[in-house]
Amino acid sequence: MSVEEKLHVLSERIKSHSSAMLTEEAVKTAIVLPFLSALEYDVFNPEEVIPEFCADAVGKKGEKVDYAIKLDGEIRILVECKPITCNLDKTHLAQLYRYFSVTNAKFAILTNGRTFHFHTDLASPNRLDDRPFFSFDLSDLQAQMISDLKKSAKNEFDVDGILKTAHRLKYTSAI
C-alpha cells in the first residue's frame, strides 16, 4: 500500500472507531503508531522510533515525550500524544516546548489522533513556535495535505525541504 492509501485507512478508522479511543494509549496504538508506520518509520525498531524518550528539562526529572524519531543518529522528530477527546491547547504545547528545548529535534508533532499539529522553530532557533506550520484533521484528508505530509516520510525526509515547506505554509495560512 502507498502512503496515501495507508493514510486513508487511518482516516476511516478515525471515523468508525473514535468513540473507542478514549485513552492516550488507545490513540497511540490505533492511530499514532500506524500513522508513523504509514510514513515508513519502523515503529518496531526502538532505535528509530523511541517510545517514552527521556527529555528532562532543567529542574524537571522524568520528563518523557511519547515518541522520538531518530534519523541518521540524531533525534529529528518528537511526537506527543493526547486522548482523542482532548482539545489540543497551549498547556499541551508547553509540555512539548520543554521537550523540544532539551533535544536536537527540529520538528515536533502534537496530536490527539484526529488532529495533528506540526511545529518547528521558524521564529527563533531552538524554541518551538507557538503556532503550528502545518495542521490537519486525519478524518478529513485532502490531496494537498497528503502531499505536504509525504515530505515528513522517512524516505523523503529532508530538514531543509521541510523547513521551506514550513515557511510557505506559515505565510499562506496567515493570509
Side-chain angles (χ1 to χ4, degrees), residues 147-167:
S147 176
D148 289 333
L149 191 55
K150 283 181 180 178
K151 294 174 184 172
S152 295
K154 181 181 176 181
N155 68 348
E156 293 186 34
F157 190 86
D158 170 40
V159 171
D160 293 332
I162 297 170
L163 288 173
K164 285 178 187 173
T165 299
H167 278 285

Side-chain angles (χ1 to χ4, degrees), residues 1-8 38 40 150:
M1 264 197 291
S2 69
V3 169
E4 187 170 345
E5 291 168 325
K6 291 174 185 176
L7 291 173
H8 281 289
E40 300 165 343
K150 283 181 180 178

Side-chain angles (χ1 to χ4, degrees), residues 112-136:
N112 62 8
R114 178 185 305 273
T115 305
F116 286 74
H117 295 300
F118 283 64
H119 293 265
T120 191
D121 58 355
L122 296 175
S124 181
N126 303 318
R127 293 185 56 161
L128 196 65
D129 294 340
D130 290 338
R131 293 187 52 198
F133 69 87
F134 179 52
S135 292
F136 66 93

Side-chain angles (χ1 to χ4, degrees), residues 41 45 47-50 69-77 104 153-159:
Y41 295 102
N45 178 351
E47 292 181 3
E48 184 172 314
V49 177
I50 306 165
I69 298 174
K70 186 187 267 188
L71 294 169
D72 301 323
E74 299 284 333
I75 300 297
R76 292 294 178 209
I77 304 170
N104 57 356
K154 181 181 176 181
N155 68 348
E156 293 186 34
F157 190 86
D158 170 40
V159 171

Side-chain angles (χ1 to χ4, degrees), residues 64-128:
K64 294 181 181 179
V65 66
D66 291 313
Y67 300 103
I69 298 174
K70 186 187 267 188
L71 294 169
D72 301 323
E74 299 284 333
I75 300 297
R76 292 294 178 209
I77 304 170
L78 301 176
V79 183
E80 182 62 24
C81 309
K82 298 298 171 195
I84 202 162
T85 55
C86 183
N87 289 323
L88 303 176
D89 60 26
K90 298 250 185 229
T91 305
H92 306 113
L93 186 59
Q95 183 182 15
L96 193 53
Y97 181 91
R98 286 193 310 272
Y99 302 148
F100 189 83
S101 68
V102 297
T103 67
N104 57 356
K106 194 65 182 165
F107 304 100
I109 302 170
L110 178 61
T111 184
N112 62 8
R114 178 185 305 273
T115 305
F116 286 74
H117 295 300
F118 283 64
H119 293 265
T120 191
D121 58 355
L122 296 175
S124 181
N126 303 318
R127 293 185 56 161
L128 196 65

Side-chain angles (χ1 to χ4, degrees), residues 30-50:
I31 300 297
V32 176
L33 287 174
F35 173 79
L36 295 175
S37 182
L39 294 179
E40 300 165 343
Y41 295 102
D42 184 354
V43 299
F44 298 109
N45 178 351
E47 292 181 3
E48 184 172 314
V49 177
I50 306 165

